[in-house]
Amino acid sequence: MDVIERYLEAVAAQLPTEDREDIVAELRDLILSRVEAREEELGRALTDDEKEAILHEIGHPLVVAARYRKGPDSLIGPELFPYWLFGAKAGLIVIAAVQALGLLVHVLGAPADFGRAISQAFHGFFSGALTLLGALTLAGAIMEHYGIKPAWLTKWRVRDLSAFGLADPAKWGASMAGSDKAKAEWLPKGAKVWGVRAEAPRVAEVLWSIVFSGIFLLWWMGVIRFEGLGQFTLRSGEVAVAAAPIWASLYGVILAWVVAGMAVDAIALARGGADRITWALRIPLAGAAVWIVWRLFDAGWWFTLSQGEQVARVVGGPADRIGTELLRALRLEGRGLEETAVTLGSVLSWVLVIAMIGYGFSIVQNLWRIATTRDR
């Protein structure tokens, strides 16, 4: 087959069937006119190599066919690419943060499996990154091919732009650094990070809250498990820990409370920090937390410890364990199963009391902020 015909066949294979014949005919005329002009200049017929040089000047068959193809000439066009890039950067940062936090939890729970935890973290990051990039690319290609233009491409508000700081690694670092001295040490000399203010809750704090809540939610739903939470070791041997019935009765309430908290954090993130709306939403959230903690406190029975045939309940609440009982329990020698249950009951009683006080203070604090803070 002549090199020109072979070239035209390669181009035709990339063209739609309804337009193929006309385009190939037009392209053949262009090529033959160049060949004839070159032959007149040289005074002889061209060799195959010289014809191929002319075809190289015209372009690769894939590139030439793309010039005649209808529709977009790229998978993701210049209008959509900035949105694709933002989604990729933000998603990769969040995936990295989740995997890093999961690695920390695994290492603390099972230090002996450090190597396996590292391997799982890398595998989770790369598999999550590939899934994210593939999903973003597929969505962008579909929108580009069919000319889909969501409202957020043209209808956007300046007050909604704070969430785009999610894709700025420097903002994460500066937010977590906290003090000006730490920021100066973390950031390159002369660098400036926009949108990080001391008086507003930092973006990283909201992000970490979402990450921690998400991990707790997955654990609470049984999607992930942490080895070692259901048992611990005393001098006398292994002790198994079983939850009391109160946890099962509050399962749905706690699940809804965590989801609501993540929703409020997402709203705060989208609005660039705390404002009157997020403060107002946190008030019923803190009230629900006070009720949940009180239900736990009032139940008075939280866990059951078992070691062989011995069984001991971790109990507390308003009836006892509040006062000097904690100090007495911490002085107990021998650390048998019963003594351990007494200590845990005393500690948990005080933890629940402090939690109720803290959530109550959060309600007052948010009410005070709403009453005294002007809109920014």
Side-chain angles (χ1 to χ4, degrees), residues 9-32:
E9 182 180 348
V11 174
Q14 317 305 320
L15 297 171
T17 54
E18 62 270 15
D19 301 325
R20 183 177 298 176
E21 186 175 348
D22 294 337
I23 294 173
V24 169
E26 177 185 342
L27 189 58
R28 180 183 284 108
D29 291 341
L30 172 65
I31 296 172
L32 292 178

Side-chain angles (χ1 to χ4, degrees), residues 51-75:
K51 292 179 181 179
E52 188 166 346
I54 293 176
L55 297 177
H56 274 277
E57 294 175 1
I58 294 176
H60 192 281
L62 294 178
V63 178
V64 173
R67 297 172 188 162
Y68 295 95
R69 190 182 301 117
K70 297 178 181 179
D73 56 0
S74 59
L75 193 62

